[in-house]
Amino acid sequence: MQLADLPTPQVLIDHARLLRNIDAAQNLASSTGLQLRPHAKTHKSPVIASWQIERGAVGVCCAKVGEAEVFADAGIRDIRLPYPVNPSNAARVLALMDRAAISIIVDHLEVARGWSDAMRRAGRTLDVLVKVDVGFHRCGIDPDGDAIGFVRAIASLAGLRLRGILSHAGHGYLASSEQALCEVAQREAETLTTLRDHARSSGIALDEISVGATPTLRFSVRQRGLTELRPGNYVYFDRTQVALGAAALDDCALTVLATVVSKHPGRIILDCGSKTLTNDQARGITPTPGYGAVLAGDGESPRSVDDSLLIERLSEEHATVRVTGSTALEPGDRVRIVPNHSCVVSNLVDAVRLVDGDHVIDTLPVAARGRIQ
């Protein structure tokens, strides 16, 4: 099948770029002695997860228990949930533990006690890591508070096995320069290794020091004391990662194929609205106006952005594109778009098309789509 045979809008995954991204991150981790545990929320595909593991990843991360169930059903045998899972999910987690090595994070003592009670009743032991807030101020214990007291309390709970500490430097997405991103990664590693050293002095071993974010990945590998990297977006990349310097336009494996459905003075309309591109704005060191970058020509190498086209507004099924000057595009013509946030785009469709140039290689179900519980 050729791209021309596909209805639009369509989410495309460039096979060669995908494998190149997987290999590059794995080689980066392996060359520095770190384990790579990709976050599967970006692709939500057990097929792609299997490719990551075949190339050296130790397992995957999942955002919710529902995602983990999909990957365990597909045979993935090492799954981490770097999310504050509530003990009300104990029956589901216990069922997962029969099929895979499962670990979760804790950052609240009463929640951890709930998990301890559930595991004691079941006669099981659950691996946990303490989530540490390294500056994003979402989840995680305050490293400047009684962090050692919290770690000590978790280590003492029956039914839980404390594996280490974990963080997500999500504030790296707000960095205004390469140096600022580097400093985020440095502070993250310093915060975690300092806590590890204090815990060791208190007689508590924290064997795993896990960090995860695609923007800081290239700086995190330079830090000492870490054991694991958990990037997710790197597998596809997107316009935000390009703006943050984490990728080049040519690295972006996910694009949206759309058709021009209407044309009027100063604007064209595409058939990829918010149900395809999402309403997410891009962030980054360089300016990124609009809801995605329309590629010039056929969207293949060498890639460039058509600067005369700005996706300035999205309705559910319409993308309104402002035209600066003139465009040769007419209704029926097709364009390729690099979206602002690929993770959300892949969650909006039931399947993605694996492509090689104009040839459609395969259709991959987005098997964990919508598994938000």
Side-chain angles (χ1 to χ4, degrees), residues 336-352:
R336 297 271 288 272
I337 300 164
V338 175
N340 290 342
H341 191 180
S342 62
C343 305
V344 184
V345 170
S346 63
N347 189 54
L348 290 172
V349 293
D350 293 325
V352 296

Side-chain angles (χ1 to χ4, degrees), residues 53-334:
I53 291 169
E54 287 168 4
R55 286 163 170 76
V58 297
V60 300
C61 292
C62 291
K64 295 290 185 69
V65 176
E67 278 192 6
E69 289 168 340
V70 170
F71 284 88
D73 288 345
I76 303 301
R77 292 293 172 250
D78 196 328
I79 301 172
R80 176 157 292 168
L81 287 154
Y83 187 88
V85 183
N86 191 273
S88 61
N89 293 286
R92 296 169 70 192
V93 170
L94 283 164
L96 279 170
M97 291 169 65
D98 291 334
R99 294 181 286 153
I102 302 295
S103 54
I104 68 170
I105 62 103
V106 291
D107 67 351
H108 191 284
L109 190 54
E110 289 308 310
V111 172
R113 286 171 175 157
W115 279 111
S116 174
D117 292 343
M119 292 300 122
R120 285 192 298 107
R121 287 193 297 268
R124 305 290 292 273
T125 300
L126 176 63
D127 287 339
V128 300
L129 295 89
V130 170
K131 179 73 175 286
V132 180
D133 182 0
V134 293
F136 192 33
H137 306 319
R138 186 173 65 185
C139 298
I141 64 169
D142 181 358
D144 296 322
D146 186 16
I148 290 299
F150 185 88
V151 169
R152 186 180 295 114
I154 300 303
S156 71
L157 290 174
L160 303 185
R161 181 186 298 113
L162 179 58
R163 294 280 297 271
I165 51 181
L166 174 151
S167 64
H168 171 61
H171 51 304
Y173 280 90
L174 304 177
S176 58
S177 67
E178 285 269 322
Q179 182 58 34
L181 260 177
C182 181
E183 290 171 0
V184 167
Q186 289 174 336
R187 286 194 295 269
E188 178 182 37
E190 289 168 1
T191 298
L192 295 181
T193 55
T194 297
L195 178 54
R196 177 205 59 196
D197 293 344
H198 289 167
R200 182 181 295 159
S201 299
S202 299
I204 303 170
L206 298 175
D207 296 328
E208 294 195 35
I209 311 295
S210 175
V211 303
T214 295
T216 50
L217 174 64
R218 62 195 188 276
F219 303 112
S220 292
V221 295
R222 306 177 191 173
Q223 311 308 313
R224 294 185 176 182
L226 304 178
T227 65
E228 180 180 88
L229 303 168
R230 307 184 328 276
N233 187 277
Y234 81 93
V235 72
Y236 289 159
F237 289 122
D238 52 31
R239 191 172 177 227
T240 294
Q241 300 298 339
V242 174
L244 286 164
L249 195 64
D250 201 51
D251 296 322
C252 295
L254 183 150
T255 58
V256 172
L257 179 68
T259 298
V260 178
V261 293
S262 186
K263 183 176 184 179
H264 300 279
R267 72 181 186 276
I268 59 173
I269 307 299
L270 306 176
D271 61 358
C272 54
S274 61
K275 290 180 178 178
T276 308
L277 285 178
T278 88
N279 281 313
D280 280 17
Q281 296 282 352
R283 296 163 289 178
I285 297 167
T286 57
T288 50
Y291 294 94
V294 181
L295 297 176
D298 61 4
E300 288 303 311
S301 300
R303 281 181 171 174
S304 63
V305 174
D306 188 335
D307 292 324
S308 70
L309 303 177
L310 173 66
I311 305 174
E312 63 178 0
R313 188 171 77 244
L314 296 180
S315 306
E316 290 184 45
E317 308 291 356
H318 305 73
T320 301
V321 183
R322 185 201 310 161
V323 178
T324 301
S326 63
T327 179
L329 292 171
E330 296 290 342
D333 290 336
R334 294 184 168 197

